[in-house]
Amino acid sequence: TAFLAETQRIEGLFRAYRINGVPSWAALSVPPLANLIHMALVTAMIAILGHLFFAAPLPASWSWFCLSWLAVETSLAGFGVLIATLASSSRSVVLISQLVYIPSIVRGGLMMPASILPAGLARLSRALPATHGMEAFAGGPDAGASLAILAAGALVSFGASLLVYEWEPRSGRPVGRKLLGLLALAPYALAMLI
């Protein structure tokens, strides 16, 4: 999402949107919507083919699975859009994205269960969307809270993106305005304290 949005901005596609009167919220929603559709198809294929070829179990509750999936994907899409609006180039999009992606894999419960992490790292992992995603998919006692944190993260990320969005990547806006992007971390920072 982040790389696609930044590429479209650099190539002038967003400038064409602006000239033709497309509001910024609509311009910012195109890359994450395309990504969500793509990821829904990929997720369905993995679930079905995994079951057919490898006897992988299907979700016990499809409604909970879909709700958890949507919360995770919108949260990550919100981060992607925010990164694209804050980054000054496609190279910096990749670097900033890796700051979220790599810790999410290592400490967010994707590579190893978060339950085996030491207490301090387990608390730090609560600042990652992947941790809440894994808790939501597991459906345990904290699943509802994890869904709420992911939903809040998505809303704050998309809202912050609208606040800091610039039609032109180098329009000369003060750097202080870009610091509003840090608001997207608030739900996850709050989760660390709980």
Side-chain angles (χ1 to χ4, degrees):
T1 300
F3 188 73
L4 177 63
E6 177 61 21
T7 302
Q8 289 176 339
R9 184 169 65 163
I10 289 171
E11 291 177 356
L13 184 61
F14 285 173
R15 188 178 314 119
Y17 287 167
R18 181 179 183 193
I19 291 169
N20 290 309
V22 175
S24 60
W25 66 266
L28 287 176
S29 66
V30 171
L33 282 176
N35 192 28
L36 285 173
I37 292 168
H38 175 259
M39 292 307 298
L41 293 172
V42 169
T43 302
M45 286 174 42
I46 290 171
I48 293 167
L49 294 175
H51 179 68
L52 292 175
F53 292 117
F54 304 108
L58 292 172
S61 169
W62 278 100
S63 59
W64 186 260
F65 175 81
C66 290
L67 184 63
S68 299
W69 178 88
L70 187 61
V72 170
E73 289 300 320
T74 54
S75 173
L76 294 175
F79 263 123
V81 169
L82 182 61
I83 290 169
T85 58
L86 293 175
S88 58
S89 69
S90 56
R91 194 177 295 166
S92 61
V93 165
V94 172
L95 292 173
I96 296 169
S97 296
Q98 294 305 315
L99 287 174
V100 175
Y101 178 70
I102 292 174
S104 292
I105 288 177
V106 176
R107 292 194 173 81
L110 300 175
M111 186 178 279
M112 62 185 146
S115 61
I116 67 169
L117 294 174
L121 284 179
R123 183 171 291 280
L124 280 176
S125 74
R126 306 271 310 147
L128 300 169
T131 302
H132 299 287
M134 295 303 287
E135 288 178 2
F137 279 120
D142 294 334
S146 290
L147 280 180
I149 291 165
L150 289 167
L155 290 173
V156 174
S157 292
F158 281 114
S161 297
L162 287 172
L163 289 173
V164 301
Y165 180 71
E166 299 171 343
W167 285 101
E168 298 292 330
R170 289 165 184 64
S171 67
R173 268 200 195 147
V175 175
R177 183 172 177 139
K178 289 190 173 189
L179 290 176
L180 289 173
L182 292 174
L183 289 174
L185 301 176
Y188 305 103
L190 182 62
M192 275 181 31
L193 300 175
I194 296 175

